[in-house]
Amino acid sequence: MKKIIFSCVILAGITSCVPQKKFDDLENSYYASLDEQGKLNKELTLANHSIETLEKELDKTKKELYVKDTAFANAQRLMNVSQSEFEGLLQEMHSALNSSSQKSQTFFNQLTDKEKQVEELLKNQKELEAKIENQNNEIINLKKQIFVKEIQDKVK
């Protein structure tokens, strides 16, 4: 039995041995794999760092976009309010122009009426002045006649 176990151990030792060249190739392959794994770990670390950086930039961009969206919305509201005020002022201006036009027309009509009245009054004034002049002439003629008569009476 000792021989059998010993034979099995020797047989296992002989059959389980790998040739040196194959061992060296496996060992080189193992170290190459370790080197490649190290490089890949470095690349993975860099990629993770890049992802973190990009996520930070994305968050920053989202915040900037939110600020710009908010500013845009506020500007749009201001523009709508300004547009509304402009339209209101435009309507007021049209209303004022129409009212002013009507008032100007009324004023013009009143002015025309007043001019006609003034012309009439001037005409009446001239007529009255002419009548007064005639009466003054008559009075002067009567006074002359009275004076002449008084002189004639005194002379007689």
Side-chain angles (χ1 to χ4, degrees):
M1 182 94 149
K2 277 186 179 181
K3 280 187 180 185
I4 294 179
I5 294 179
F6 185 64
S7 300
C8 282
V9 170
I10 289 180
L11 185 61
I14 291 174
T15 56
S16 67
C17 287
V18 177
Q20 185 65 37
K21 183 173 182 181
K22 193 170 188 175
F23 176 78
D24 288 341
D25 288 343
L26 287 173
E27 189 177 29
N28 287 337
S29 177
Y30 171 73
Y31 288 123
S33 294
L34 284 179
D35 285 343
E36 191 174 332
Q37 183 182 5
K39 288 177 186 176
L40 290 174
N41 281 340
K42 286 180 185 177
E43 288 178 10
L44 179 63
T45 303
L46 288 174
N48 284 338
H49 181 69
S50 293
I51 289 171
E52 289 173 6
T53 303
L54 289 173
E55 285 176 346
K56 288 178 184 176
E57 288 179 13
L58 178 63
D59 288 340
K60 182 180 175 184
T61 303
K62 283 181 181 178
K63 288 177 185 175
E64 288 175 359
L65 181 62
Y66 175 75
V67 168
K68 288 180 181 180
D69 279 347
T70 304
F72 177 72
N74 289 338
Q76 208 165 20
R77 277 192 291 256
L78 271 173
M79 187 178 76
N80 290 340
V81 167
S82 295
Q83 181 70 27
S84 169
E85 289 177 0
F86 173 76
E87 289 172 358
L89 290 173
L90 193 59
Q91 288 177 350
E92 285 180 24
M93 183 187 72
H94 287 299
S95 175
L97 283 174
N98 289 339
S99 175
S100 176
S101 174
Q102 291 170 352
K103 286 180 182 178
S104 294
Q105 186 63 38
T106 303
F107 178 73
F108 180 74
N109 291 339
Q110 289 173 348
L111 183 63
T112 305
D113 290 343
K114 293 294 180 189
E115 285 176 346
K116 287 177 183 177
Q117 288 174 1
V118 166
E119 286 176 13
E120 246 180 74
L121 288 173
L122 287 173
K123 183 179 171 185
N124 289 341
Q125 181 182 2
K126 286 180 182 180
E127 288 175 2
L128 287 175
E129 285 176 353
K131 284 182 181 179
I132 290 173
E133 186 69 29
N134 286 336
Q135 288 178 354
N136 281 341
N137 287 337
E138 284 180 26
I139 291 172
I140 290 174
N141 286 336
L142 288 174
K143 282 184 179 180
K144 281 182 185 178
Q145 286 175 1
I146 293 172
F147 182 68
V148 168
K149 193 154 185 166
E150 283 178 358
I151 291 180
Q152 286 175 351
D153 284 343
K154 283 184 183 180
V155 168
K156 278 185 189 186

